[in-house]
Amino acid sequence: MDALAAASAGPKLNATVKPSPKRTRHVFKNAIVRIPGSNFAQGLTTVWLGVPRFDGVLQQHARYCEALRECGLTITALDADLDYPDSTFVEDTAVLTARSAILTRPGARSREGEVAAIHQTISSFFPAPLEIEAPGTLDGGDICEAENHFFLGLSHRTNEEGARQLAVHLARHGYTSSVIDVRGMTSILHLKSGIAYIGNNTLVVIEEMAGNPLFQSYERIRVAVEESYAANCVRVNQRVLVAAGYPQFAAELAARGFNPLELEMSEFQKMDGGLSCLSLRF
Ligand code: CIR
C-alpha cells in the first residue's frame, strides 16, 4: 500500500466533499512579499541561465509590487532576510485560502526556516494558522487553487504526507483536492511551474500536462513548449500577470478576453522563480 493509501486520519485524497458555493478566488485585497536579499544569487536553482544581477532583481521586484498595487492590492513588504537567500519566494511558505491559512514545511532544507520567519506576519492576518508537520513537506508552489478545488503537486519538494495533511485541512474547510505527480517532469520545479488557474473555469497548462484527465472539465490554454515558462501566470482581480517575452501566450490570453499585464522576470527565472512565487495573495 502506498503512503497516500495508507493515510488513516481524515478524508482520503480525491475524496469528494460537498462543495461550498462557488466563489471567485482571484479577487484579492492584500499581498505579502519579501524584498530580495543581496545574497539572492546564493539560493537554489536547477537552471543554467547565468547569475542574477542584483540591481535587476530589485528593479523587477519593485515593478512586481507596483503591478500588484495597480491591481488594487495593499502590499505588506517584509525586509530582506539574509539568512534565507530564497526567502523572496514567499509563496512557498504558506497556503492561504478564503477560509484558512496553512503554514507549509518547505522541502528544501535551506528553506525550512523561512516559515518561522514569516509566521508572525501571517498570524497577524490569519490568527491560529494550521501547519504541515513532519514528516510532511510541502511548498506553496505545488498548490494550485481552482475555485473550491485544489490541485496538489507531488514534487521533489512536496511529499505524499505533506499533500495528505493539506488535503485533510482543506477538506475540513469544504474544499476538494486531487493529487498530480510531477516528480517525473524534469522541466518543472513545482506544479505551478506548469499550470495556473486564471478564473472563468480556465486552466493554463504546459504541453506536457495538457492531456491530464483531471483537467478535462476546464477550458485549457496550452502553452507552447518554447514558451513554457509563461505558464506560471497569476490572475489578480481584473488582470493576469504574465512574464514578458512570451508573445504567443499573451496574445492567446487577450484573444480569450483576459487582460494580461506583462512583467519582466528574467532575474527570478535564473533562480527557478516565477510570478506566483513572489507573493502570497489574499
Ligand atoms: C527554490 O528553488 O526553492 C527557489 N530558488 C525558487 C522557488 C520558486 N518558488 C515557486 O515556484 N513557488
Side-chain angles (χ1 to χ4, degrees):
M1 194 188 295
D2 67 22
L4 292 184
S8 52
K12 290 199 180 76
L13 295 181
N14 300 323
T16 306
V17 174
K18 191 173 178 286
S20 313
K22 271 239 176 202
R23 45 181 309 285
T24 309
R25 234 327 246 176
H26 51 260
V27 177
F28 299 116
K29 290 190 174 148
N30 296 286
I32 300 170
V33 301
R34 188 182 285 285
I35 307 297
S38 52
N39 59 355
F40 174 72
Q42 289 164 26
L44 303 169
T45 187
T46 61
V47 291
W48 302 98
L49 297 171
V51 179
R53 284 180 303 103
F54 189 55
D55 58 338
V57 172
L58 290 179
Q59 243 170 39
Q60 291 178 6
H61 194 267
R63 174 66 194 120
Y64 178 86
C65 294
E66 193 180 286
L68 291 178
R69 287 192 193 96
E70 285 166 19
C71 293
L73 274 57
T74 301
I75 308 273
T76 300
L78 304 176
D79 291 339
D81 186 343
L82 297 181
D83 289 340
Y84 304 105
D86 277 315
S87 57
T88 193
F89 299 118
V90 286
E91 175 184 64
D92 292 318
T93 62
V95 176
L96 305 182
T97 80
R99 306 168 198 154
S100 58
I102 300 112
L103 296 169
T104 66
R105 194 164 170 271
R109 182 150 278 190
S110 65
R111 302 197 59 190
E112 273 175 19
E114 291 180 27
V115 175
I118 205 168
H119 190 150
Q120 202 186 342
T121 305
I122 291 177
S123 302
S124 69
F125 293 103
F126 297 85
L130 303 165
E131 289 179 26
I132 300 296
E133 289 168 11
T137 62
L138 187 134
D139 279 14
D142 280 316
I143 310 307
C144 178
E145 180 174 3
E147 312 292 351
N148 287 314
H149 190 74
F150 283 71
F151 295 107
L152 316 181
L154 288 186
S155 69
H156 297 295
R157 300 291 179 84
T158 296
N159 66 15
E160 292 169 334
E161 175 57 16
R164 186 197 70 76
Q165 289 180 29
L166 182 64
V168 171
H169 289 320
L170 292 171
R172 289 201 178 115
H173 287 94
Y175 296 110
T176 54
S177 59
S178 43
V179 169
I180 299 179
D181 192 341
V182 301
R183 287 173 293 191
M185 296 184 189
T186 49
S187 67
I188 57 175
L189 175 67
H190 288 121
L191 175 66
K192 276 195 294 195
S193 320
I195 67 169
Y197 179 75
I198 56 170
N200 306 7
N201 201 44
T202 303
L203 273 177
V204 171
V205 281
I206 56 170
E207 280 298 335
E208 205 175 348
M209 300 180 77
N212 191 318
L214 288 172
F215 302 155
Q216 252 165 19
S217 63
Y218 295 88
E219 290 295 319
R220 271 154 288 169
I221 301 182
R222 299 166 81 114
V223 184
V225 173
E226 65 276 18
E227 294 203 349
S228 290
Y229 177 73
N232 183 267
C233 58
V234 193
R235 173 79 186 262
V236 182
N237 301 339
Q238 298 311 311
R239 307 300 302 265
V240 180
L241 308 188
V242 293
Y246 302 94
Q248 293 177 58
F249 178 56
E252 179 68 19
L253 282 175
R256 292 186 186 231
F258 293 96
N259 191 359
L261 196 171
E262 295 185 46
L263 294 171
E264 198 52 65
M265 286 293 290
S266 58
E267 303 314 298
F268 294 103
Q269 187 178 8
K270 291 173 181 172
M271 302 306 288
D272 271 330
L275 286 159
S276 71
C277 339
L278 290 178
S279 61
L280 282 163
R281 304 157 296 277
F282 55 101

